[in-house]
Amino acid sequence: MIRALVLIAAVGLSLAACDTANPVRIGPDGKPMPTAHQISSFETNKIIYRMLDSINELRVAAGAPPVALSSQLTAAAATHARDMSVQNRPWHFGSDGSSPLDRVARTGYTGMMLGENISETFETELETLAAWMEQKDTRDVILDRRARNLGFAWFQETNGKVWWTLVMGG
């Protein structure tokens, strides 16, 4: 009898664990609404290298040479990601009127700035990369054969929105 009660209690607890506190919200298009994912400090150290590795895989597949991470281009990307959040709009100009060329020059990067991709989203870095690869102009920045360096950064707001910036240089 005790075994049966223990078994029933275990099954009950297992089933109770299946209940989700946050049910999936469905949008007007019938698809699940995006959920905000907070980037943890554990993920922070991995995101840049996941993006770098993924971009290099795409570049090699397209016959372009791999790129190396540049601290200067990453600094320019980080500045712009945070600034887009402050401005609350995804565009290539800074709140001080700076262009991507200006921001890259400020970091002391001696190569040529080739392009900048930006995004305002609730998606992960790899989902954002996939979206960039679907558009010709942003794909061309990623696959530019002249590129030798990459800068990549983001800024996440408390509501989960992420402002991504990718800068390519050669």
Side-chain angles (χ1 to χ4, degrees):
M1 181 69 166
I2 292 177
R3 280 187 181 170
L5 290 175
V6 170
L7 182 59
I8 290 171
V11 169
L13 288 173
S14 296
L15 290 175
C18 293
D19 184 28
T20 59
N22 298 323
V24 175
R25 297 181 326 163
I26 303 297
D29 60 357
K31 295 180 180 177
M33 296 284 287
T35 58
H37 170 73
Q38 287 300 126
I39 298 171
S40 71
S41 58
F42 176 75
E43 288 175 294
T44 297
N45 298 327
K46 296 180 181 280
I47 288 174
I48 291 176
Y49 295 103
R50 267 197 309 258
M51 182 62 94
L52 176 65
D53 291 345
S54 297
I55 286 174
N56 279 333
E57 288 288 328
L58 292 167
R59 289 177 60 81
V60 168
V67 292
L69 192 60
S70 162
S71 60
Q72 289 129 336
L73 293 179
T74 296
T79 298
H80 193 55
R82 181 175 291 276
D83 192 47
M84 285 190 296
S85 172
V86 169
Q87 297 182 71
N88 195 33
R89 65 178 168 179
W91 75 325
H92 293 283
F93 294 96
S95 57
D96 61 355
S98 63
S99 72
L101 292 169
D102 297 329
R103 289 188 297 276
V104 167
R106 287 178 191 163
T107 68
Y109 183 72
T110 57
M112 179 173 51
M113 189 279 213
L114 298 171
E116 177 183 74
N117 289 348
I118 58 173
S119 182
E120 166 197 20
T121 183
F122 287 92
E123 297 178 329
T124 68
E125 76 283 359
L126 297 180
E127 290 168 321
T128 300
L129 176 58
W132 284 338
M133 291 301 290
E134 290 176 6
Q135 301 295 320
K136 182 181 180 348
D137 57 342
T138 51
R139 180 177 56 247
D140 288 349
V141 169
I142 293 167
L143 299 179
D144 190 326
R145 292 179 183 274
R146 300 171 297 165
R148 297 297 178 264
N149 302 112
L150 165 129
F152 179 68
W154 69 93
F155 179 76
Q156 185 169 37
E157 297 178 356
T158 55
N159 66 3
K161 183 190 297 182
V162 185
W163 301 86
W164 301 103
T165 305
L166 171 104
V167 181
M168 299 296 274

